[in-house]
Amino acid sequence: MKTESCCAGQPKGLNIFEKYLTIWVLVCIVAGILLGRFAPGAATFLDGLAIYVGEAPVVSIPIAICLFFMMYPIMVKIDFAEVIKAGKTPKPVLLTLFLNWGVKPFTMIAIANFFLGFLFLNLIGSDAVDIVKMPPAADWAVGSVHGAGTVVLHEGMKMLQIPLWRSYLAGCILLGVAPCTAMVLMWWGYLSKGNDGLTLVMVAINSLTMLVLYGLLGGFLLGVGKLPVPWEALALSISIYVALPLVAGYLTRRWLINVKGEVWFREKFLHFLTPVSITALLATLVLLFSFKGDIIVNNPLTILWIAIPLFIQTIFIFVLGYGLARLLKLRYEDAAPASLIGASNHFEVAIATSTMLFGLSSGASLATVVGVLIEVPLMLMLVRVCLKTRDWFAS
């Protein structure tokens, strides 16, 4: 398989954005909190820039723009023609697909439900509630009950009042059904000295399978969690946040290679795009925390309560994948990226989907942001584990 898209023209290591992503996230958290405290009108104005269905804001235009520029650089890098070659080495591909779609979504809801809905419930507040969007097509009466939610009037608009812990659970679910295709995914395989070709193929396959399975599994598990299932909004989310950048990236790649050549494409264009994804992500985080700052300031342990189940979930999926890779007698070069990709999440899409389904100020959106906060240092730790255990596998 061709591997040039991953590493050619790239520095030997993470750039300053990727290497210190956790620090940038923390800076954005502080900036968002300060924005919410001292200029609340700015964030409210940006959140009000939306595409409406009836009187309900469905798509936040700033978030949609940010997510497009998070995803587009990844999709440009992918050579989808390589997917058909994955059949030559099916074991690592099937292992990652099994982890992403057969295990992770279900263990995520189980682990998050146990910690947020039972073990940490009194710490979060058993009576604490969150105000989230209603499904776009819903015209429910005020006071009616739907799952765990009750329709209320909030600032003159019908909204759904749900237990706060279930809002956090919704964010965890959206993370669990989002297999990683993010920019830093390329680095997990690269830094662990894994098979770059497999990594590229899995980026493509994850992007394609998300078009169908993300909405279906996300809707099903939200229903299990007694949360509203906005099927129309889920379909719209996939169209805007996955399909649109996927198609745009594919067409851009073909056009630029035909016009400028593959060398220029790899060494010039991809290098220019390198910081775009994370810059867009950080801009989104400032918006998110401008609304959630009061919760964090009043109860900073909220981040910890959400982070613990996400941490346990990631470790569990990695250990399971790495163990199965050894049982399947995979080469280390395939075992490492298969397990790392299986354990990581596509937090960009999870963030955007949560804001579309539940609102920028929802607990669900906060939970997806916590996923960003813990993923980078945790995945770098797992990369080190892989490097120290290379001799467990055949070369």
Side-chain angles (χ1 to χ4, degrees):
M1 293 183 183
K2 291 182 286 186
T3 62
E4 72 276 7
S5 299
C6 178
C7 303
Q10 299 284 2
K12 295 296 184 179
L14 300 175
N15 64 42
I16 190 170
F17 279 99
E18 295 158 330
K19 186 175 182 181
Y20 300 107
L21 181 56
T22 299
I23 294 176
W24 295 123
V25 169
L26 289 171
V27 169
C28 287
I29 290 174
V30 174
I33 292 172
L34 292 176
L35 178 65
R37 279 292 183 92
F38 298 106
T44 303
F45 169 76
L46 289 172
D47 189 38
L49 299 175
I51 298 173
Y52 285 75
V53 175
E55 297 182 356
V58 176
V59 179
S60 168
I61 293 174
I63 295 295
I65 292 172
C66 285
L67 191 76
F68 178 84
F69 286 106
M70 290 182 215
M71 292 293 299
Y72 172 74
I74 311 308
M75 300 308 180
V76 171
K77 292 181 180 182
I78 299 171
D79 182 0
F80 285 95
E82 293 294 299
V83 175
I84 60 176
K85 299 180 181 180
K88 295 181 180 179
T89 54
K91 284 185 179 180
V93 173
L94 292 175
L95 173 60
T96 304
L97 287 174
F98 170 69
L99 294 173
N100 283 337
W101 300 112
V103 179
K104 186 161 65 174
F106 306 100
T107 55
M108 175 65 88
I109 189 173
I111 293 171
N113 192 75
F114 171 74
F115 280 93
L116 301 176
F118 175 69
L119 199 61
F120 297 156
L121 182 58
N122 289 332
L123 298 171
I124 294 172
S126 57
D127 297 326
V129 297
D130 197 14
I131 304 296
V132 303
K133 292 180 180 179
M134 286 172 46
D139 188 20
W140 299 330
V142 174
S144 60
V145 177
H146 302 271
T150 303
V151 180
V152 298
L153 275 179
H154 179 72
E155 297 180 352
M157 184 179 297
K158 288 183 181 179
M159 302 285 281
L160 205 61
Q161 180 177 283
I162 63 174
L164 181 58
W165 75 268
R166 288 193 183 275
S167 189
Y168 296 151
L169 176 66
C172 293
I173 289 171
L174 293 175
L175 283 168
V177 296
C180 189
T181 64
M183 181 168 67
V184 288
L185 179 151
M186 295 295 183
W187 294 105
W188 305 150
Y190 178 55
L191 292 179
S192 63
K193 303 187 186 302
N195 180 346
D196 296 325
L198 172 64
T199 303
L200 288 168
V201 165
M202 282 312 309
V203 171
I205 291 175
N206 279 345
S207 299
L208 294 172
T209 53
M210 280 186 71
L211 294 175
V212 176
L213 295 178
Y214 184 76
L216 292 176
L217 268 178
F220 170 73
L221 293 176
L222 288 174
V224 171
K226 297 183 179 180
L227 293 156
V229 183
W231 292 108
E232 298 89 346
L234 278 168
L236 183 61
S237 178
I238 292 299
S239 300
I240 293 175
Y241 300 137
V242 180
L244 180 61
L246 188 153
V247 172
Y250 172 75
L251 293 176
T252 301
R253 179 187 177 92
R254 287 193 59 183
W255 180 70
L256 285 178
I257 290 178
N258 288 337
V259 173
K260 305 289 286 187
E262 195 160 353
V263 173
W264 182 91
F265 173 79
R266 293 198 318 266
E267 296 182 359
K268 300 293 185 180
F269 186 69
L270 292 185
H271 178 73
F272 170 77
L273 287 181
T274 297
V276 171
S277 285
I278 296 177
T279 302
L281 170 65
L282 297 180
T284 306
L285 297 185
V286 173
L287 278 176
L288 291 171
F289 278 92
S290 68
F291 278 90
K292 302 308 292 183
D294 286 342
I295 291 178
I296 296 169
V297 170
N298 295 332
N299 186 11
L301 290 177
T302 297
I303 299 295
L304 179 62
W305 308 142
I306 300 172
I308 288 174
L310 295 180
F311 177 89
I312 293 173
Q313 158 80 354
T314 302
I315 296 295
F316 172 76
I317 295 297
F318 171 78
V319 170
L320 176 64
Y322 212 49
L324 289 175
R326 193 177 183 193
L327 288 176
L328 292 171
K329 298 181 179 179
L330 298 185
R331 298 181 310 138
Y332 168 79
E333 289 76 11
D334 292 334
S339 304
L340 292 168
I341 294 169
S344 53
N345 300 308
H346 196 332
F347 48 73
E348 294 95 334
V349 165
I351 288 172
T353 304
S354 68
T355 60
M356 173 183 281
L357 301 186
F358 301 106
L360 192 63
S361 60
S362 67
S365 295
L366 177 61
T368 58
V369 172
V370 176
V372 184
L373 187 62
I374 71 168
E375 174 148 332
V376 174
L378 180 54
M379 293 304 298
L380 288 174
M381 179 191 76
L382 294 178
V383 165
R384 296 188 189 98
V385 170
C386 289
L387 291 172
K388 290 182 179 294
T389 56
R390 294 180 68 179
D391 57 352
W392 288 9
F393 299 87
S395 59

